[in-house]
Amino acid sequence: MSEYKSEFLKVISERGFLHQMSDPEGLDKLCAEGPVTAYIGFDCTAPSLHAGSLVTIMMLYWFQQTGHRPIALMGSGTTRVGDPTGKDESRKILSDEIIEENKAGIRKIFEKLLTFGDGPTDALMMDNADWLMKLNYVDFLREIGRHFSVNQMIQRDSVKLRLEREQHLSFLEFNYMLLQGYDYLEIYQQTGCRLQMGGSDQWSNILSGVDLIRRKAGVEAYALTAPLLTTSSGAKMGKTASGAVWLNAEQLSPYDYWQYWRNTEDADVERFLKLFTILPLEEIKRLAALEGAGINDAKKVLATEATAMIHGREAAEAAAETARQAFEEGAMAEGLPTIEVPKADLEAGMGILSAFVTAGLCGSNGDVRRNIKGGAVKINDKGEQNEKRSLTLSDLTDDGVIKLSLGKKKHVLLKPV
RNA sequence: GGAGGAGUGCCCGAGUGGCUAAAGGGGACGGACUGUAAAUCCGUUGGCUAUGCCUACGUUGGUUCGAAUCCAACCUCCUCCA
């Protein structure tokens, strides 16, 4: 482990963000000299980013914190083309309106973590649709395609493996590195950006941009990737029962987000504290040293700090307090996710089945029935076995709500309005 | 353009005329054990106004009392040859 001179690489390497770098010495020197500009691209396939993207988002955060200028690139141009790697046939073609909506949702996340503006280290937001949509095929081939050597392209591991195994590789996929390489060049020309970061799966795409900039502009640009994260038990990051761990509050409440981190596996606690919180390393070391049940305290810190990063300190504390009441006191915690139902429904008597479905705890009536059979369903903390049970105003607690629970961890409050 | 192969539930994958809402595995969810962890064990895993009904094995038609299974056309994907 060589010592880095630049603050950025020091922080990044200590906290476990580093996977590969194209020219460590050169990049270190560049970053040590003064403000550098770097970008990371994000797809616009969903209305929010999820926990899987958080690693690279945090890299942008640290980049700015250590005195540099980050660029968040919205890939709405490449999203329109569609990422060719999936196996599903008939991929959904997203309409322009949806892509724009998604883009708006994704922007919000960056606005929380980065400081935007016109200053030398203020973050920028760009969109590759601005230049990709204008491309003319023949011009592109002449201007960009000429700088790509097929001989080299087929040497790339991603390509080589496919060819060696005689697996199909479409021309579209083969071209992807040109598009992303072109992004890098375009951003370099517009902003002087000389560093592109991303997940480790982006490595070869990033390198193609590095090459292109060298050929086209005679400038050395850099590549840096972060490891692809899995939990210690091998699960992909950012997936839960109800889907992805979204970063936007509209997609996933801060309380549920807090819970996601609270349920981190023991073996991941230290790694996640380094990656997803900004606590000092000594503090993390101390927390990670906790053993047995004590590590639960570290998980709470992880949850609160990680939640504070993207939902704000206040929401994080509230989530922590709600969880404390719900789990440690078994009390009726007011901060639990709350669903409003028309008062009239309760007056008429609301079926327990539909109550759990509207609360989002179960996917269908049959799902509720199965869970009732499995003994997972509770109303106001009392087990319920009768699927015909209906909820009425008399079920309201002193706080004026009805608490629905599925299993031990999932609770929703029903509130009449 | 030619020859061959494939398309099954969230995913992988068995099934080649009725016993198939479809084996098995993974994942997920619930339960037990714990520490709101992991591992392990057990259960569940299409929908409904439910002793029945509907939807589902690429699409559309056909054969049949009856089709995921047979036939035809089409769509998509893959491999090899040109």
Side-chain angles (χ1 to χ4, degrees), chain A residues 257-398:
Chain A
Y257 190 76
W258 192 93
Q259 280 297 324
Y260 173 74
W261 295 107
R262 172 61 184 80
N263 284 306
T264 296
E265 296 169 26
D266 286 9
D268 292 323
V269 171
E270 179 172 9
R271 204 158 50 104
F272 286 3
L273 278 167
K274 284 186 190 167
L275 291 169
F276 303 119
T277 77
I278 54 175
L279 293 173
L281 290 172
E282 310 85 69
E283 174 73 359
I284 291 175
K285 204 163 214 153
R286 189 185 67 74
L287 288 168
L290 297 170
E291 285 184 17
I295 204 166
N296 281 326
D297 290 332
K299 290 185 191 179
K300 286 178 207 164
V301 174
L302 168 63
T304 303
E305 293 303 315
T307 306
M309 284 305 293
I310 67 160
H311 292 299
R313 178 63 52 183
E314 208 176 306
E317 300 287 357
E321 176 57 19
T322 299
R324 197 186 63 76
Q325 289 176 8
F327 285 96
E328 292 172 28
E329 293 179 2
M332 176 65 69
E334 285 174 22
L336 289 171
T338 303
I339 303 285
E340 298 185 337
V341 293
K343 199 169 182 182
D345 285 5
L346 284 178
E347 280 165 358
M350 185 180 195
I352 182 175
L353 300 180
S354 64
F356 271 75
V357 174
T358 28
L361 289 168
C362 291
S364 68
N365 290 0
D367 194 14
V368 187
R369 287 196 181 92
R370 283 191 289 272
N371 280 114
I372 289 175
K373 258 181 222 139
V377 166
K378 289 200 206 86
I379 292 167
N380 292 331
D381 296 316
K382 279 200 285 279
E384 182 59 60
Q385 292 293 324
N386 177 13
E387 62 181 53
K388 297 255 163 59
R389 166 88 137 85
S390 72
L391 303 172
T392 64
L393 290 174
S394 61
D395 289 306
L396 293 175
T397 64
D398 296 342

